[in-house]
């Protein structure tokens, strides 16, 4: 436990760094800079991160301390805030990176920082759910919960950026990268292959939960590639396909009718690569559409209790999947749109910017 003067000094540093200006980077810049990971470039990258990461982390730590409706005092939120303060301390008080050995030690340290934050999403979700449950019990649910949703958008967008910067730097140390791979970025990524992998994962979860799973048909040019982060695309497609499989499965579970397949179409446009995930799972009521990108809203009949035991990946999450998937798309200049026809089905359009020039949004 830090002594009171030390804790006060750290708090003052957090306020000072949290007021500094962030520096955005683009996908294209990451590719160009990382295409030649010399010792000098890795040193420059570490020096940039040693300046940039404390600013981003401090901003989030300050925001975690000033949330509305008493959310900042929930145990889960306090735990996340402490992770951010620990990470700020680790990076801010690391000796100045000046040599190759310094850079290697710094890289090991930020790897551990990234691991520390692995469970931020479910932990924050638990805190928000605790607040929501408390407000439902006292019947003091604020209209719209808008402030919480705006905070979560900023918070998770920043988290994506922090993890991208750390992950990219760490991955540039791979002595034998796959052809066309620069750090986390695959310059020749096949969206069809990523879609196939995401579909296999989603169907296995569906099979485990329901005992069967609808078929999935994928359409598009199997030879088409473009530069993107494979892990980001997999995460977004897994979420969209899971939603579609669940909707179709639950609609046709007790029906004698043929179960219609989920369809995925990959289109290569001049500006965007667009992936449509289309289902005939009955759609979403028009009154529910404005809420699908808000946190803790789920179309599932029985969303999981976050305070209960965690049994691994499930078909129906806790209502964070869609809003976070949209943030991943927006991080590199894309977007996610949902169009639904109640009584029929839903089309999700995932737009991925192929220009690579747009700078990451800085909340």
């Amino acid at each position: 436990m830090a002594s009171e003067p030390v804790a006060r000094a750290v708090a003052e540093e957090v306020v000072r760094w949290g007021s500094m200006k962030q520096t955005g980077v683009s996908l294209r810049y990451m590719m160009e800079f990382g295409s030649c990971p010399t010792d000098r470039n890795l040193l420059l990258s570490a020096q940039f991160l040693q300046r940039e990461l404390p600013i981003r982390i401090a901003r989030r730590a300050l925001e975690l301390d000033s949330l509305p409706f008493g959310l900042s005092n929930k145990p889960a939120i306090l735990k996340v805030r402490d992770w951010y303060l620990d990470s700020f301390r680790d990076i801010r008080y690391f000796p100045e990176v000046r040599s190759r050995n310094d850079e290697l030690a710094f890289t090991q340290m930020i790897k551990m920082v990234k691991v520390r934050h692995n469970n931020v999403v479910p932990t924050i979700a638990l805190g928000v759910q605790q607040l929501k449950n408390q407000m439902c019990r006292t019947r003091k649910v604020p209209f719209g919960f808008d402030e919480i949703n705006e905070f979560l958008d900023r918070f998770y967008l920043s988290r994506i950026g922090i993890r991208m910067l750390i992950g990219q730097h760490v991955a540039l140390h791979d002595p034998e990268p796959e052809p066309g791979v620069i750090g986390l970025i695959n310059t020749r990524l096949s969206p069809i292959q990523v879609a196939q992998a995401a579909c296999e994962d989603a169907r296995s979860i569906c099979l485990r939960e329901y005992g069967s799973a609808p078929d999935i048909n994928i359409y598009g040019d199997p030879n088409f590639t473009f530069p993107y982060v494979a892990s980001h695309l997999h995460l977004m497609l897994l979420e969209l396909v899971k939603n579609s499989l669940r909707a179709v499965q639950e609609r046709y579970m007790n029906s004698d009718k043929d179960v219609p397949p989920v369809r995925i179409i990959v289109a290569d446009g001049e500006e965007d690569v667009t992936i449509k995930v289309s289902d005939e799972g009955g759609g979403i009521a028009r009154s529910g559409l404005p809420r699908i990108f808000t946190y803790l809203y789920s179309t599932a009949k029985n969303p999981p209790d976050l305070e209960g035991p965690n049994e691994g990946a499930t078909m129906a999450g806790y209502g964070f999947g869609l809003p976070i998937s949209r943030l991943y798309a927006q991080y590199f200049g894309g977007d996610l749109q949902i169009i639904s026809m109640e009584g029929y089905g839903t089309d999700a359009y995932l737009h991925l910017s192929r220009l690579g020039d747009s700078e990451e949004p800085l909340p």
Side-chain angles (χ1 to χ4, degrees), residues 296-345:
L296 287 182
Y297 172 76
S298 177
T299 56
K301 293 182 178 70
N302 298 300
D305 179 3
L306 290 167
E307 300 196 63
N310 186 349
E311 297 176 4
T314 59
M315 287 300 286
Y318 34 78
F320 275 44
L322 272 182
I324 286 181
S325 294
R326 183 169 67 169
L327 293 178
Y328 270 97
Q330 291 172 341
Y331 179 71
F332 282 128
D335 205 0
L336 172 61
Q337 295 174 311
I338 306 290
I339 298 173
S340 195
M341 184 186 292
E342 189 184 14
Y344 182 75

Side-chain angles (χ1 to χ4, degrees), residues 202-214:
R203 287 193 87 245
S204 69
I205 297 168
C206 188
L207 282 165
R208 189 179 70 224
E209 198 144 314
Y210 295 104
S212 62

Side-chain angles (χ1 to χ4, degrees), residues 190-261:
S190 163
I192 295 285
Q193 285 182 5
V194 177
Q196 288 168 339
C199 289
E200 284 178 24
D201 291 345
R203 287 193 87 245
S204 69
I205 297 168
C206 188
L207 282 165
R208 189 179 70 224
E209 198 144 314
Y210 295 104
S212 62
D215 289 334
I216 305 172
N217 298 335
I218 303 175
Y219 306 92
D221 179 359
N223 298 313
F224 165 64
T225 63
F226 77 118
Y228 208 73
V229 180
S231 58
H232 288 194
L233 182 55
H234 184 276
L235 180 148
M236 293 183 279
L237 286 176
L238 177 62
E239 181 62 30
L240 296 176
V241 174
K242 271 198 321 178
N243 287 350
S244 287
L245 289 177
R246 175 172 58 82
V248 172
Q249 184 68 27
E250 292 188 353
R251 189 182 192 200
Y252 287 89
M253 205 158 24
N254 301 313
S255 169
D256 295 332
K257 297 177 182 175
D258 290 339
V259 179

Side-chain angles (χ1 to χ4, degrees), residues 124-141:
I124 289 275
L126 173 58
V128 177
Q129 190 186 65
Q130 288 169 342
L131 175 68
K132 199 173 180 185
N133 291 345
Q134 173 197 325
M135 288 183 154
C136 285
R137 282 196 302 272
T138 59
R139 305 194 174 178
K140 288 183 183 171
V141 179

Side-chain angles (χ1 to χ4, degrees), residues 98-115:
R98 292 180 174 177
S99 68
R100 170 72 172 149
N101 285 340
D102 292 346
E103 187 275 321
L104 290 172
F106 179 80
T107 300
Q108 286 305 310
M109 183 269 293
I110 60 173
K111 257 170 95 171
M112 294 310 297
V113 165
K114 188 164 182 270
V115 170

Side-chain angles (χ1 to χ4, degrees), residues 248-315:
V248 172
Q249 184 68 27
E250 292 188 353
R251 189 182 192 200
Y252 287 89
M253 205 158 24
N254 301 313
S255 169
D256 295 332
K257 297 177 182 175
D258 290 339
V259 179
V262 172
R263 295 177 301 284
I264 298 177
I265 302 167
V266 178
D268 167 25
E270 281 187 31
E271 241 179 69
D272 288 346
V273 174
T274 302
I275 302 174
K276 179 168 84 163
V277 179
S278 187
D279 69 60
E280 295 175 37
I284 303 164
R286 193 157 53 94
S287 60
L289 278 173
R291 290 181 289 158
I292 59 173
F293 288 115
T294 61
Y295 296 87
L296 287 182
Y297 172 76
S298 177
T299 56
K301 293 182 178 70
N302 298 300
D305 179 3
L306 290 167
E307 300 196 63
N310 186 349
E311 297 176 4
T314 59
M315 287 300 286

